[in-house]
Amino acid sequence: MRQVRTALALLGATLCTLAGVALPASTAAASPDAGPTTPAPKKLFTIRDERIQESSGLAKSVKHSGIYWTVNDSGDTGRVFAVDGTTGKVKAVLRFGAKVTDVEALGVDRDGTIYIADIGDNKENREQIEIYTIPEPATLEDEANVKYHRYDFKYPDGAHDAETLLIEPGTSQLYIVTKALKGTGAIYAAPPAPSREGTNDLSKLAAAPTGVITDGTFLPDGQRVVLRTYADVTTVAWSETPNAIARGAAPLGQGETVAVGPTDGSVLVGSEGANSGVYQVQVPAKAAASTPPKTSATPKPATTGDSNNADSGKSHNLRWIIIGAALFALIITVITFPPGRRERQDRQAENDRLTGQSPPTPHRRQHS
């Protein structure tokens, strides 16, 4: 009897296992092939200098390893700060004599020219905006009267607020991305060789990705741009029609700055305010496409009826497997707990033998 119960128990367990295998995929754990986990943001340094209260632009130096340039938001004079990318300490201050209005972005081209973008316009009433250029110094030391150049620009469709300047690495082509509190902003291109005489006309290139865009930078490959919002960073595949391909979270705060990071595939992000922290984050990457089935280069999408039939068939099979497992579990329970009638009779007979009692006469059912 014990062998029978054991065999039935094994059979029931097998059916239960099959039922578990047949459960819908949504109840399974995530596949390990889903891709590597994005590293958490890493705080690199804190800008503690009292002169920097509203860091609104950040750019990696070309001539000085480990140095980042930053500027204050509106209300400051014409100056930029060289900040150590490890300690956050200011190594030099460069002052230029321009009367700035609302500096919101910063960039450095391949030749080591610093671009200071006076492009903020909260009320959207400026007739033109300005971009100033100064050279990166050979040595990091304070300079009080740096020679600068000024370039004036205007939009083709009226005034806009903007906080993002992009400099294409290979050509030093300039782009401005406007900031929109409602709807989406736009990407505008400067002339390939802007003039310092007169006003340069910007041309609208494309709509910007969604979000309130506060800064941006080209990556060194020139094929991608990273745009910053208050809450996240977006990777954009650059072309005549820029296309957002990936988005990732960034440290919270009034996110205002983004710059090329110290390692490949990373950027630095910062925020406004005193003692602002600067973090290294991974550039959001486009998810790898899944491998298509080998049986067909272009899989035929399933129709609604096919999908329903397949789901119905799976549900039908699953239902019978579960019912079968339940029945066998019931049989095992009946056989095992409590003991069967035959076992009870055997134990009663053994007790009668030991006590000298006569076995009870079985009652026969009377037939009418």
Side-chain angles (χ1 to χ4, degrees):
M1 190 67 182
R2 180 178 299 174
Q3 293 177 344
V4 173
R5 289 201 303 270
T6 301
L8 290 174
L10 290 173
L11 183 57
T14 302
L15 286 173
C16 289
T17 302
L18 291 174
V21 172
L23 288 176
S26 60
T27 62
S31 170
D33 297 332
T37 303
T38 302
K42 176 185 178 182
K43 189 174 185 179
L44 289 190
F45 58 90
T46 300
I47 303 175
R48 301 186 186 280
D49 197 289
E50 294 181 354
R51 294 168 292 182
I52 305 174
Q53 296 294 318
E54 292 184 293
S55 175
S56 64
L58 194 68
K60 187 177 183 180
S61 172
V62 171
K63 294 186 176 181
H64 302 282
S65 177
I67 293 296
Y68 285 84
W69 298 98
T70 190
V71 290
N72 276 316
D73 204 338
S74 60
D76 201 4
T77 59
R79 59 180 178 174
V80 297
F81 303 86
V83 178
D84 188 297
T86 302
T87 65
K89 294 182 178 180
V90 173
K91 295 297 184 180
V93 182
L94 308 182
R95 299 178 182 272
F96 58 102
K99 186 178 181 181
V100 296
T101 302
D102 188 0
V103 176
E104 291 287 357
L106 199 64
V108 180
D109 70 12
R110 58 183 177 177
D111 298 321
T113 299
I114 303 173
Y115 292 73
I116 302 102
D118 188 355
I119 57 178
D121 189 7
N122 292 328
K123 297 181 179 179
E124 298 188 353
N125 58 7
R126 294 177 64 173
E127 293 184 0
Q128 65 181 32
I129 54 178
E130 292 81 40
I131 294 178
Y132 301 92
T133 63
I134 61 175
E136 278 199 283
T139 58
L140 290 177
E141 56 185 19
D142 293 349
E143 295 187 40
N145 192 19
V146 179
K147 183 179 180 180
Y148 69 91
H149 294 306
R150 167 178 164 169
Y151 298 87
D152 298 333
F153 299 91
K154 67 178 181 180
Y155 296 97
D157 49 2
H160 296 281
D161 189 22
E163 297 186 3
T164 302
L165 173 69
L166 304 175
I167 305 175
E168 200 279 323
T171 63
S172 296
Q173 169 77 49
L174 303 179
Y175 300 91
I176 292 173
V177 184
T178 58
K179 175 184 177 183
L181 298 179
K182 295 181 179 180
T184 58
I187 303 172
Y188 293 84
S195 173
R196 300 204 308 266
E197 298 181 2
T199 302
N200 297 276
D201 292 324
L202 298 169
S203 58
K204 189 172 182 178
L205 179 67
T210 58
V212 180
I213 298 172
T214 59
D215 201 9
T217 182
F218 265 96
L219 295 178
D221 60 14
Q223 303 299 312
R224 295 170 295 162
V225 163
V226 174
L227 296 177
R228 176 85 159 98
T229 72
Y230 289 126
D232 58 24
V233 288
T234 300
T235 303
V236 176
W238 197 255
S239 65
E240 293 183 358
T241 55
N243 178 41
I245 58 174
R247 189 181 296 265
L252 296 179
Q254 188 171 344
E256 289 282 349
T257 61
V258 63
V260 174
T263 60
D264 292 341
S266 72
V267 291
L268 297 191
V269 295
S271 60
E272 284 191 348
N275 300 322
S276 59
V278 177
Y279 294 80
Q280 180 179 344
V281 301
Q282 195 76 13
V283 173
K286 183 178 180 180
S290 59
T291 305
K294 294 182 179 180
T295 55
S296 174
T298 307
K300 179 181 178 181
T303 62
T304 303
D306 293 339
S307 178
N308 291 339
N309 290 338
D311 292 342
S312 176
K314 292 179 180 179
S315 299
H316 182 77
N317 293 337
L318 174 62
R319 182 165 56 252
W320 280 110
I321 291 175
I322 293 176
I323 290 173
L327 288 176
F328 268 91
L330 179 62
I331 293 171
I332 293 169
T333 302
V334 171
I335 293 174
T336 308
F337 304 103
R341 181 180 179 185
R342 179 65 181 175
E343 290 178 329
R344 289 198 303 270
Q345 290 177 347
D346 292 343
R347 284 201 300 270
Q348 183 64 43
E350 180 65 15
N351 289 336
D352 292 342
R353 185 183 67 79
L354 294 175
T355 57
Q357 297 180 5
S358 300
T361 303
H363 298 282
R364 296 185 179 272
R365 187 174 180 179
Q366 299 296 325
H367 294 275
S368 56

